[in-house]
Amino acid sequence: MKIVYTDVLVIGGGLAGLRTAVGVKQRGFDTIVLSLVPAKRSHSAAAQGGMQASLGHSAMGAGDNEDVHFEDTVKGSDWGADQRVARMFTHVAPKAIRELAGWGVPWNRVSQGEREAVINAERVVITESAKAHGLITARDFGGTRKWRTCYTSDGTGHAMLFALGDQSIAHGIPVMERMEALALIHEGGRCYGAVVRNLVTGELSAFLARATTIATGGYGRIYKVSTNAVICEGTGTAIALETGVAELGNMEAVQFHPTAIVPAGILTTEGCRGDGGILRDVKGHRFMPDYEREKRELASRDVVSRRMTEHMRKGLAVQSPYGDHLWLDITVLGREHVHKNLREVTDICRYFLGMDPAEDWIPVRPTQHYSMGGIRTDHRGESTTLKGLFACGEAACWDMHGFNRLGGNSVAETVVAGMIVSEFIADFCAGSESDINLSTGLVREFVEREQAGLDGLLNSSNGESASAIRSRMEEIMIEQVGIFRTGSELESAVEELEQLLERSRRLSVRNRVPGANPELVAAYRLPKMLKLALCAALGARQRTESRGAHYREDFPQRNDRDWLNRSITTWPSAEATLPRLDYESIEVGDMELPPGFRGYGTRDHIDHPHSDQRHRQIEQILKAVDPNDRYARQAALMPFEHLLPEKYRPRSQRLEIKT
């Protein structure tokens, strides 16, 4: 049995994992990164539109600050976010942008003087300040009051990932490719590392670490159609769930992106609409203003996806051999803008659709895109129930996004969480509680258990087909746990998914090769994916309200009175076929921004009994504070800076640009 020792084990080689590894290494601790693929091919590279940070450099972003970004984030979450975490995030985001600029990310910049832009399908002239010339600019994104999304044309994730990949090399951080964590090694409520499989040779090893961090992204591939890469199967989240100790949060909160191309499901960035693109129906009619008069195409993603689906249900979709769709029209932006600032979209349309988006409308429909749920952590990124296990990025429920995340906030979260969480990981490693007190006999038990499972699959015959079961799981999730949900459909989904999980325990494979064997990989990942699907479906069935991306047609109101909480799921035992579901209250009395009207459709929600009381408390608190001192106002309502690592507490500096 091979054992590898390190201070910090990072599982996942995307933006969140690499930034965490760099932060830990900067503090002097050794770290190893495990990645299913070469790190620079991680799904983070697919992020196109940009990352949010309240710099306020551009004319349309003038006056932006952490307060505005915070309010947008909380409202976007439909009051499901941890508001202290949202504050930590919005405070550090400008620092993250500037750090990345120093590491070589070529952010688009402000050019002083007049320039043309498309706003609400009309060409307008924007005058940029001479003071801001050469500084990082921003574009518009859904659910925000200011233009805040910093970008590198539409290849933001690619540029960020390559910069962080270069930093990992510069810091001498080993990134081990084609390595997959199969199980976490734990004892007595403490995580000590993972059992890891080499995807090329099939060899199992034990990686023991003072701290283990999961940064493996989302679980979009439990759905039939997803914008996620094929590696986004949620296995990092699943191995935490399978400990029976670590908790998952908000697994029913699954976001659909409005504009994925048909039929491939590949994303066309929100930057298309942020830059002025519009949505049209089968008649060529621009329909979003009919539903959302103020924000139109730039309402929050969950809202736009529902409005599109609602419109298609009215018989106003374009019919195609690949299913109904609508049109995304970015021809209004002009050829020069499309080919310069939306280059990846141009390439995607050319290669997968055989058309030029500067001339033709793009066929799009809402498609599964992002997982707000994940490993439940505290504000330090550590599991609330399994000591020594940390998580960040999409794999974590930190919980900054609540029940819906704003576009650009997730890309920002990868690096911001990496910056913050890495400091807390280093603090943990510096203490005696991080000591590894574990017998090699127990490590051997974990490795042998995983090997026995693999051998069982390789030696089985006449068992179930993993591909058939997975295909049915994907269909159930897209059809019954999708954008619109009902109690009867969710009941049926839970029942059938439970049956599929039972069947997945009787799998067999035809390819008996123990090393590079995609059929074997699909077989051992399937039960993990089914467990995540059950967590999402059961959480959705039990949550009898609509909040953010979770929309129940039979319970269309947001219900703060009964459901202002987080869903918490654990897996009871290896033999269990359903997760255990509990709830964690979100306290109104601690909020800086109490629940209110989100701003879409009509005001229709059930108030929390303490909301009015909290609003009155806030009024009283603010009477004693200078109304012109926004920092004093914020500190009086909900102190948060003491929660941050000391190095990230200083305030961000901004230009004073007149609005």
Side-chain angles (χ1 to χ4, degrees):
M1 176 182 65
K2 182 179 179 181
I3 301 179
V4 179
Y5 293 90
T6 186
D7 291 324
V8 180
L9 176 65
V10 177
I11 303 171
L15 286 172
L18 291 179
R19 184 56 187 85
T20 300
V22 169
V24 170
K25 187 69 172 181
Q26 287 175 333
R27 288 283 299 274
F29 293 98
D30 290 336
T31 182
I32 293 174
V33 177
L34 305 180
S35 182
L36 294 178
V37 295
K40 290 180 179 179
R41 294 185 184 177
S42 296
H43 184 54
S44 296
Q48 298 171 9
M51 67 172 275
Q52 287 202 36
S54 56
L55 301 180
H57 294 155
S58 66
M60 299 301 291
D64 197 12
N65 57 44
E66 294 90 347
D67 295 348
V68 185
H69 191 184
F70 167 78
E71 285 196 25
D72 287 346
T73 298
V74 173
K75 288 182 178 180
S77 78
D78 222 353
W79 277 272
D82 181 328
Q83 294 194 13
R84 284 187 170 83
V85 169
R87 268 293 178 188
M88 292 167 66
F89 163 74
T90 57
H91 180 85
V92 176
K95 298 174 174 60
I97 283 281
R98 290 169 175 137
E99 178 182 79
L100 288 166
W103 287 349
V105 174
W107 299 111
N108 284 49
R109 303 280 172 159
V110 175
S111 295
Q112 65 180 342
E114 294 185 348
R115 68 181 179 92
E116 277 196 347
V118 176
I119 300 177
N120 193 22
E122 295 181 0
R123 289 202 169 273
V124 299
V125 175
I126 296 173
T127 303
E128 298 288 2
S129 166
K131 282 186 178 181
H133 181 74
L135 299 179
I136 299 168
T137 190
R139 61 173 25 135
D140 202 4
F141 251 42
T144 68
R145 283 176 289 166
K146 299 287 185 179
W147 289 26
R148 182 185 304 123
T149 306
C150 308
Y151 62 99
T152 60
S153 294
D154 63 343
T156 308
H158 178 98
M160 291 168 63
L161 187 62
F162 270 64
L164 271 167
D166 291 345
Q167 283 298 309
S168 68
I169 294 169
H171 284 84
I173 298 169
V175 178
M176 303 180 69
E177 302 168 359
R178 314 293 182 187
M179 301 290 278
E180 178 174 9
L182 299 184
L184 294 178
I185 299 170
H186 62 99
E187 183 183 44
R190 170 81 161 86
C191 182
Y192 291 100
V195 178
V196 177
R197 181 174 183 266
N198 185 313
L199 290 168
V200 177
T201 66
E203 178 189 12
L204 297 191
S205 304
F207 281 70
L208 299 186
R210 295 180 176 186
T212 303
T213 305
I214 294 180
T216 50
Y219 44 91
R221 283 291 160 175
I222 65 174
Y223 282 82
K224 184 176 182 178
V225 183
S226 172
T227 66
N228 288 192
V230 294
I231 58 173
C232 296
E233 297 173 321
T235 50
T237 304
I239 63 174
L241 176 68
E242 288 182 332
T243 63
V245 182
E247 296 177 337
L248 307 186
N250 291 347
M251 290 296 288
E252 69 270 33
V254 179
Q255 183 184 85
F256 282 65
H257 196 289
T259 55
I261 66 170
V262 177
I266 299 171
L267 178 69
T268 58
T269 174
E270 190 161 324
C272 291
R273 288 171 288 125
D275 288 3
I278 58 178
L279 292 166
R280 299 184 185 275
D281 63 19
V282 66
K283 299 177 181 179
H285 170 63
R286 182 191 180 193
F287 60 87
M288 275 305 297
D290 302 339
Y291 298 98
E292 301 295 336
R293 189 172 299 276
E294 181 182 348
K295 294 296 290 183
R296 300 171 293 271
E297 283 83 2
L298 289 174
S300 194
R301 285 180 179 176
D302 60 316
V303 175
V304 178
S305 292
R306 280 197 295 275
R307 294 306 195 188
M308 290 174 68
T309 305
E310 184 179 345
H311 201 66
M312 293 166 71
R313 284 178 168 184
K314 293 177 180 178
L316 294 167
V318 181
Q319 295 183 344
S320 81
Y322 310 106
D324 292 353
H325 66 80
L326 295 164
W327 298 113
L328 172 61
D329 177 9
I330 60 174
T331 63
V332 294
L333 306 180
R335 177 179 298 277
E336 182 180 355
H337 182 98
V338 171
H339 289 176
K340 178 182 178 181
N341 291 321
L342 298 169
R343 291 174 297 184
E344 284 195 12
V345 171
T346 300
D347 286 344
I348 289 166
C349 289
R350 283 174 174 167
Y351 296 144
F352 290 89
L353 299 174
M355 46 84 72
D356 183 348
E359 298 180 358
D360 303 306
W361 299 346
I362 308 168
V364 295
R365 64 177 169 227
T367 300
Q368 192 285 335
H369 178 61
Y370 189 83
S371 317
M372 278 74 72
I375 300 165
R376 183 72 183 112
T377 75
D378 59 19
H379 71 278
R380 300 175 304 115
E382 187 174 18
S383 166
T384 50
T385 51
L386 188 56
K387 199 73 178 171
L389 177 66
F390 293 79
C392 59
E394 192 174 353
C397 179
W398 194 21
D399 169 28
M400 193 192 91
H401 303 301
F403 278 75
N404 176 70
R405 67 120 175 149
L406 297 183
N409 262 0
S410 63
V411 184
E413 184 198 23
T414 59
V415 289
V416 171
M419 293 164 72
I420 294 172
V421 173
S422 63
E423 292 297 314
F424 288 120
I425 293 172
D427 291 344
F428 177 81
C429 289
S432 60
E433 61 182 347
S434 70
D435 292 347
I436 301 175
N437 299 311
L438 194 67
S439 72
T440 54
L442 183 64
V443 176
R444 186 179 298 278
E445 286 181 22
F446 274 89
V447 174
E448 289 179 349
R449 185 189 68 185
E450 295 306 313
Q451 188 63 64
L454 296 173
D455 291 343
L457 288 170
L458 291 170
N459 296 325
S460 63
S461 59
N462 300 320
E464 294 274 5
S465 163
S467 61
I469 295 175
R470 174 166 173 167
S471 179
R472 182 55 191 151
M473 172 193 70
E474 294 170 350
E475 290 172 356
I476 292 169
M477 294 303 292
I478 202 75
E479 293 169 2
Q480 299 175 42
V481 198
I483 295 175
F484 288 96
R485 301 166 175 181
T486 66
S488 59
E489 288 181 335
L490 291 167
E491 181 70 37
S492 174
V494 170
E495 182 179 334
E496 189 171 356
L497 287 169
E498 190 175 8
Q499 294 170 1
L500 293 179
L501 178 59
E502 291 175 334
R503 288 173 56 191
S504 74
R505 292 167 178 169
R506 302 186 297 273
L507 297 176
S508 64
V509 296
R510 291 170 295 177
N511 187 342
R512 311 292 184 181
V513 176
N517 186 341
E519 187 184 11
L520 176 63
V521 171
Y524 67 67
R525 288 179 185 171
L526 177 61
K528 300 180 190 298
M529 298 173 72
L530 283 162
K531 289 172 184 174
L532 298 182
L534 276 162
C535 289
L538 182 63
R541 187 189 74 180
Q542 298 302 103
R543 183 171 289 275
T544 52
E545 66 153 357
S546 292
R547 186 180 298 274
H550 168 70
Y551 192 87
R552 286 284 297 266
E553 290 188 277
D554 43 355
F555 295 95
Q557 289 179 301
R558 190 185 85 210
N559 184 348
D560 294 336
R561 180 191 64 206
D562 302 318
W563 286 104
L564 190 59
N565 55 36
R566 292 184 190 90
S567 303
I568 301 295
T569 47
T570 52
W571 202 261
S573 67
E575 299 77 25
T577 57
L578 282 176
R580 180 184 295 114
L581 185 60
D582 296 298
Y583 296 94
E584 172 190 311
S585 178
I586 301 174
E587 297 299 328
V588 172
D590 297 335
M591 291 184 178
E592 179 181 345
L593 183 64
F597 178 46
R598 193 177 169 203
Y600 300 113
T602 58
R603 187 185 183 96
D604 183 25
H605 66 267
I606 301 172
D607 284 319
H608 192 280
H610 298 157
S611 287
D612 287 343
Q613 178 184 352
R614 180 56 179 166
H615 280 289
R616 290 192 297 271
Q617 287 176 345
I618 288 173
E619 289 178 6
Q620 288 299 117
I621 291 169
L622 293 182
K623 285 180 181 179
V625 181
D626 181 355
N628 297 315
D629 187 343
R630 70 179 183 89
Y631 296 107
R633 287 168 57 88
Q634 193 284 312
L637 294 178
M638 191 186 70
F640 77 94
E641 290 182 355
H642 66 285
L643 301 176
L644 283 166
E646 189 171 352
K647 67 186 291 185
Y648 295 128
R649 292 177 188 174
R651 297 171 182 172
S652 294
Q653 296 181 345
R654 285 184 177 79
L655 288 177
E656 293 298 327
I657 301 175
K658 293 182 180 180
T659 57

